[in-house]
Amino acid sequence: KAYDAITGDSGTIKVILNTTVEAVLPESPTDKTITFDLNGHELIYTQQFYNNGTMTIVDSSPDKTGKLLHPETNNATIVNSGNLVMESGYITSGKQAIYNKAGSTFTMNGGTIKSTNYGIYNEAGSSSAKTTVTINGGIVEGSSYGVYAENYSNVSLLGGDIKSAHIGIYLGSTGTNLLIDGGDITVSRTTAGDVVGIHGVRTGYGESGSGGTATLKNGTISVTNTNVSSSSNYYSALGVRGVNFIMER
């Protein structure tokens, strides 16, 4: 009904109280530009939130206390098939906080994304329609993966922070490009296991593939593990594995 109330090409949907929603909400229309304002409130949503058009997520409250909370562990918080922008707010997930469908775009300028699994997940695109993520600011934290980019993805880290306890950014083996020109990648854990800043798939690393391309112009990659118990646990001072790495500094 909120979407139906937007009679023109664009409009704003504002959360007006703390609430829990268990019903399946309609998917956003492809022909509208929508601002979704958390407005300082907590929205607990147990289903998936779908964006098919152009949507901007904001929290207009002075203290920036607005949150979109998704406790489920078997599906994503937001499924994006269009153009999604996050300016502010706080989004949590038990699976993928942001799931970008093939050919979609996601731009993060601020706010916080926090997941116990994937922070941002890119579905595989195609050579003519890549799935694109641009991070200009904010915090992306995924316990398993900060950003997981399947084949034919473009990922740009131009500011902000990506944090994980396993892999900061994962790149698919074909047609996947990463540009780092600002921001920080931090991978830190205290238990034994893989810790990799940027992880790709390339033949000779126990997997088969051509490897994505990662270009570092500006920014930092920090990898620490205080409990490396065997040689099978990868630990690199630079934190890059299985990618074609270019440094332009």
Side-chain angles (χ1 to χ4, degrees):
K1 292 184 181 299
Y3 296 137
D4 294 339
I6 300 174
T7 56
D9 295 333
S10 62
T12 298
I13 296 173
K14 183 176 290 189
V15 181
I16 59 174
L17 74 166
N18 297 337
T19 188
T20 298
V21 178
E22 297 181 350
V24 178
L25 296 178
E27 299 184 13
S28 69
T30 59
D31 59 346
K32 292 185 185 296
T33 299
I34 296 170
T35 299
F36 188 86
D37 186 0
L38 292 167
N39 190 32
H41 296 289
E42 288 191 1
L43 174 60
I44 301 174
Y45 188 44
T46 61
Q47 305 294 325
Q48 295 186 108
F49 189 96
Y50 290 89
N51 172 54
N52 294 330
T54 297
M55 179 176 288
T56 300
I57 298 172
V58 301
D59 176 16
S60 64
S61 68
D63 295 329
K64 304 301 181 195
T65 54
K67 296 181 179 180
L68 176 57
L69 307 177
H70 185 70
E72 302 300 310
T73 60
N74 60 349
N75 55 36
T77 305
I78 298 177
V79 178
N80 173 39
S81 297
N83 179 24
L84 180 65
V85 178
M86 184 172 179
E87 294 289 351
S88 53
Y90 190 98
I91 299 174
T92 70
S93 178
K95 188 69 180 269
Q96 304 106 340
I98 307 292
Y99 186 106
N100 295 308
K101 301 285 283 185
S104 65
T105 63
F106 173 59
T107 303
M108 185 172 182
N109 297 321
T112 298
I113 291 171
K114 189 169 184 177
S115 172
T116 56
N117 207 331
Y118 304 86
I120 299 170
Y121 187 99
N122 271 16
E123 187 177 275
S126 66
S127 58
S128 59
K130 292 192 174 184
T131 310
T132 301
V133 168
T134 303
I135 301 172
N136 297 309
I139 299 171
V140 179
E141 184 172 349
S143 295
S144 298
Y145 301 90
V147 177
Y148 190 103
E150 292 276 15
N151 294 342
Y152 295 108
S153 289
N154 285 331
V155 179
S156 297
L157 176 62
L158 308 179
D161 298 285
I162 295 176
K163 300 179 180 181
S164 180
H166 178 42
I167 293 174
I169 300 177
Y170 176 92
L171 300 178
S173 64
T174 304
T176 303
N177 298 292
L178 168 66
L179 169 65
I180 302 174
D181 196 4
D184 302 299
I185 300 173
T186 303
V187 184
S188 177
R189 68 187 295 155
T190 58
T191 58
D194 299 353
V195 280
V196 185
I198 304 170
H199 188 299
V201 178
R202 191 170 71 188
T203 300
Y205 288 83
E207 298 168 306
S208 179
S210 58
T213 299
T215 302
L216 175 63
K217 292 186 176 182
N218 187 28
T220 63
I221 303 171
S222 175
V223 177
T224 58
N225 190 340
T226 59
N227 187 11
V228 179
S229 62
S230 71
S231 60
S232 64
N233 299 131
Y234 303 105
Y235 177 55
S236 169
L238 188 56
V240 179
R241 175 177 183 261
V243 298
N244 302 302
F245 189 69
I246 301 169
M247 182 173 285
E248 299 180 359
R249 303 189 77 174

